Amino acid sequence: MDNSKRRVVITGLSALTPIGLSVTEFWNSMMESKSGAAPITKFDTSKSETKFACELKGFDVNNYLDRKAARRLDPFCQYAMAATPALLHDAGIDPEKLTIEEKENFGVIVGSGIGGIQTFDIQSVINHTQGPNRVSPFFIPMLIPDLAAGQISINYGFKGPNYCTVSACATSNNNLIDSFLLIQNGMAEIMIAGGAEAAICELGIAGFNASRALSTRNDSPETASRPFDATRDGFVMGEGAGLLLLEELSHALKRNARIYAEVIGVGLSADANHITAPDPEGYGALLAMKRALKYANVEADVLDYINMHGTATPAGDIAESKAIKTLLGEKAYTINTSSTKSMTGHLLGAAGAVEAIATILAMVNSKIPPTINFETPDPDCDLNYTFNKPQEREVNFAMSNAFGFGGHNTSVLFKKYEQ
């Protein structure tokens, strides 16, 4: 790592997930190897090929937002807004006490892989059945993925960098990376980074079924997300939000902030292979991981844990496993890896942030979250995936991977904080 660049640390975490509506609930559920999958309750699934998903359980937007304001937000944006107060509280930041200058250096990069698909579905029907004059004036602001960042900024008066990157299921990892680089290069002091997704609707499920990406294990939803198992048949749709607060180190120390971990490396690459299928040898994933390590100026053998993208798609799990074996050689078999998607499902544009939180918590608690639902070995997936139960391990260096349709590959490298 270039020591002339500013150090960036994580000082706040917030998560709304199918296995917990807080960071504590999320972590405890992972330690209990809990599945978030169940039959879909949001719509009639009688015509759907897949009839289950990992929905947010017990979430009531009225517990977080004014009723009138909530009606003007797509659910993905509701989730992002609902997660923000917990993030600021966790970081020990009271927006009311920030100076104008502090707010000018406080940015937000929060995105969504798909955006307001539920709003699109509803308003499209209205347009075709009632005519264009009946389409909501809030349709476009509710639809576009950048409005999560925009709404957070407007609500709190944060005037720093404000936008989102959209890169499918790599979205929130890209947002983490952008936030890290902005702080490191002096363009902000604090950034809220992450993602939110709410694609569990009839159109969302139909679209992913049409692309043959979703599991159809309707007889056993809770065991359907089974990364690296030989009988895996696709991912399970999830929903929710993950937010992290990134902060320049001296700024964090000055206000005596709790520091969870340090971000030391980031890597980006493209498969340049196919719109949905990964490079079969995992070359793009390998490039992203190598670049994250190179950015941090550390060798691959420092790694203790990798939170894998691990969606439970037949090709994706093999490709990522190959990439890790190429990166680490024999060391690949001595580190821990896991896919927390086995419990949360795939949160698409929010996945990277939620899994970065899981990675950081593994570092803080010296415990590796498991990959649940393993039953049948796959000879092409032969790493230590921490199957079925968490495992105790000291974690000093950990990486979180997120990849997206279009061939987008991202890796973020965390280090246990040392003053």
Side-chain angles (χ1 to χ4, degrees):
M1 182 170 61
D2 182 352
N3 291 323
S4 67
K5 292 183 177 179
R6 308 193 315 164
R7 293 172 69 181
V8 181
V9 292
I10 305 293
T11 57
L13 304 172
S14 178
L16 290 173
T17 79
I19 57 172
L21 299 181
S22 70
V23 168
T24 299
E25 290 178 4
F26 172 51
W27 175 255
N28 289 341
S29 292
M30 288 194 294
M31 293 301 98
E32 295 167 4
S33 303
K34 184 177 180 180
S35 170
I40 291 170
T41 64
K42 293 179 179 291
F43 64 91
D44 178 4
T45 62
S46 59
K47 296 180 180 179
S48 297
E49 188 175 0
T50 294
K51 304 179 185 299
F52 60 92
C54 290
E55 297 177 330
L56 284 186
K57 298 163 189 67
F59 177 81
D60 182 350
V61 69
N62 297 308
N63 292 333
Y64 301 88
L65 298 172
D66 172 78
R67 188 181 299 271
K68 181 178 179 181
R71 286 201 304 267
R72 296 178 176 181
L73 302 175
D74 184 87
F76 91 90
C77 205
Q78 293 177 0
Y79 298 162
M81 291 291 288
T84 304
L87 177 74
L88 296 172
H89 182 266
D90 187 57
I93 292 174
D94 182 350
E96 297 296 324
K97 295 181 179 179
L98 296 178
T99 67
I100 293 174
E101 183 179 0
E102 286 173 326
K103 288 189 174 183
E104 288 175 350
N105 289 287
F106 200 132
V108 185
I109 308 180
V110 176
S112 172
I114 294 180
I117 189 170
Q118 294 191 43
T119 295
F120 180 87
D121 196 9
I122 292 167
Q123 294 300 316
S124 180
V125 171
I126 289 172
N127 180 54
H128 286 291
T129 59
Q130 301 179 38
N133 291 335
R134 301 298 296 174
V135 169
S136 169
F138 297 101
F139 171 45
I140 298 302
M142 292 172 71
L143 172 71
I144 52 181
D146 66 297
L147 255 291
Q151 291 283 3
I152 293 169
S153 169
I154 292 165
N155 194 60
Y156 296 99
F158 299 147
K159 299 180 185 296
N162 185 269
Y163 62 96
C164 77
T165 297
V166 178
S167 51
C169 304
T171 289
S172 51
N173 246 23
N174 271 119
N175 293 336
L176 281 173
I177 290 169
D178 282 8
S179 297
F180 165 74
L181 294 173
L182 286 168
I183 294 173
Q184 195 176 65
N185 287 284
M187 298 179 70
E189 298 295 332
I190 304 179
M191 296 292 300
I192 294 174
E197 204 75 80
I200 302 176
C201 61
E202 193 167 7
L203 185 61
I205 296 296
F208 280 103
N209 272 146
S211 65
R212 317 314 303 168
L214 291 182
S215 170
T216 56
R217 195 181 291 266
N218 293 310
D219 59 338
S220 182
E222 68 280 0
T223 68
S225 184
R226 47 179 58 211
F228 317 114
D229 188 282
T231 63
R232 65 191 182 277
D233 68 330
F235 73 79
V236 177
M237 184 83 83
E239 63 176 357
L243 302 178
L244 298 91
L245 195 124
L246 287 75
E247 188 167 356
E248 192 273 324
L249 176 60
S250 64
H251 190 281
L253 293 175
K254 185 177 179 179
R255 65 180 191 86
N256 296 314
R258 173 183 52 192
I259 296 174
Y260 284 102
E262 183 172 2
V263 185
I264 62 168
V266 295
L268 301 158
S269 75
D271 279 343
N273 178 67
H274 187 270
I275 56 171
T276 60
D279 181 294
E281 298 302 313
Y283 187 66
L286 174 63
L287 276 178
M289 291 188 287
K290 287 175 68 174
R291 287 168 176 167
L293 292 162
K294 182 178 180 181
Y295 194 100
N297 195 27
V298 297
E299 298 299 323
D301 60 8
V302 304
L303 288 170
D304 301 299
Y305 171 54
I306 299 176
N307 188 298
M308 296 176 64
H309 186 60
T311 59
T313 55
D317 290 1
I318 293 173
E320 189 176 6
S321 297
K322 285 182 177 180
I324 291 171
K325 285 185 272 191
T326 303
L327 178 73
L328 291 167
E330 289 302 313
K331 169 80 174 180
Y333 297 95
T334 64
I335 72 165
N336 281 79
T337 66
S338 68
S339 171
T340 47
K341 288 183 180 72
S342 60
M343 296 174 280
T344 65
H346 192 353
L347 274 69
L348 308 180
V354 168
E355 289 156 23
I357 292 169
T359 304
I360 291 166
L361 293 175
M363 186 174 288
V364 170
N365 294 292
S366 299
K367 288 186 178 179
I368 308 297
T371 305
I372 69 169
N373 297 327
F374 173 74
E375 295 176 348
T376 308
D378 180 344
D380 292 316
C381 296
D382 59 350
L383 300 177
N384 176 12
Y385 301 108
T386 320
F387 280 133
N388 296 326
K389 294 182 180 180
Q391 181 178 325
E392 292 189 5
R393 177 173 185 148
E394 183 176 357
V395 180
N396 293 306
F397 292 85
M399 185 177 287
S400 181
N401 289 338
F403 313 135
F405 281 2
H408 317 300
N409 303 301
T410 60
S411 297
V412 181
L413 180 62
F414 300 98
K415 180 184 178 183
K416 186 171 286 188
Y417 171 67
E418 297 175 4
Q419 193 163 348

